[in-house]
Amino acid sequence: MKNHAIAPALIALLAALALAACSGGGEGHGEDAGHEAPAHTSSSAGLPNGNVGAGETLASTKGEATGQSCVDCHGSEGNAPIDATYPKLGGQYADYLGHALQAYRSGDRDHALMSSQAKGLTDQQIADLAAYFASRESQLRDLHNVH
């Protein structure tokens, strides 16, 4: 009879331990007061953590290859391209932006301006640009109800 009384308590204890393990035990999660939340990382692109502030600065920096900055062609928030064929970047997934810039840099993706713009970018710069544009308000839309 004593074993029957211990079994429910043991099950409850094991359930509590499992729940604590799944949730991280409450330690090391969440944001510390006074610390900026880390930028969205582009893990599928294998890039380091991006920094939104550094990306914002870089987005306005003129590239040596073309004399243009990201915002010259895509707009200050990435949502006002100067040409209708240029994509809106604001609110786009950081993963997608990281992969696209890596492909332009490597030559796997070709565009007259973007290939030369991306050629000199480091992985950190790509991650920073991706974090910045991903953090902007999205004006992206899909093709539902186009026709």
Side-chain angles (χ1 to χ4, degrees):
M1 287 283 208
K2 290 182 183 178
N3 287 343
H4 293 286
I6 294 175
L10 184 57
I11 291 171
L13 176 62
L14 290 174
L17 289 173
L19 182 60
C22 289
S23 68
E27 295 180 25
H29 292 278
E31 297 176 29
D32 294 332
H35 290 89
E36 185 176 332
H40 175 75
T41 59
S42 185
S43 60
S44 70
L47 294 170
N49 289 336
N51 179 289
V52 173
E56 182 175 17
T57 300
L58 188 57
S60 297
T61 303
K62 305 280 186 191
E64 289 182 28
T66 65
Q68 300 294 312
S69 70
C70 302
V71 301
D72 289 340
C73 295
H74 297 281
S76 64
E77 298 282 312
N79 287 313
I82 62 170
D83 185 286
T85 64
Y86 293 0
K88 290 184 177 186
L89 305 178
Q92 182 58 270
Y93 291 108
D95 291 22
Y96 174 79
L97 295 170
H99 280 287
L101 286 170
Q102 287 175 318
Y104 284 125
R105 180 179 66 186
S106 71
D108 289 341
R109 191 169 178 177
D110 188 40
H111 183 270
L113 292 173
M114 285 304 304
S115 297
S116 55
Q117 279 291 93
K119 190 169 279 312
L121 294 175
T122 66
D123 281 352
Q124 185 64 60
Q125 289 171 320
I126 288 174
D128 293 344
L129 286 168
Y132 169 67
F133 284 112
S135 74
R136 304 295 88 193
E137 183 178 330
S138 178
Q139 293 182 12
L140 301 172
R141 62 180 184 87
D142 61 21
L143 299 177
H144 284 84
N145 302 318
V146 170
H147 295 286

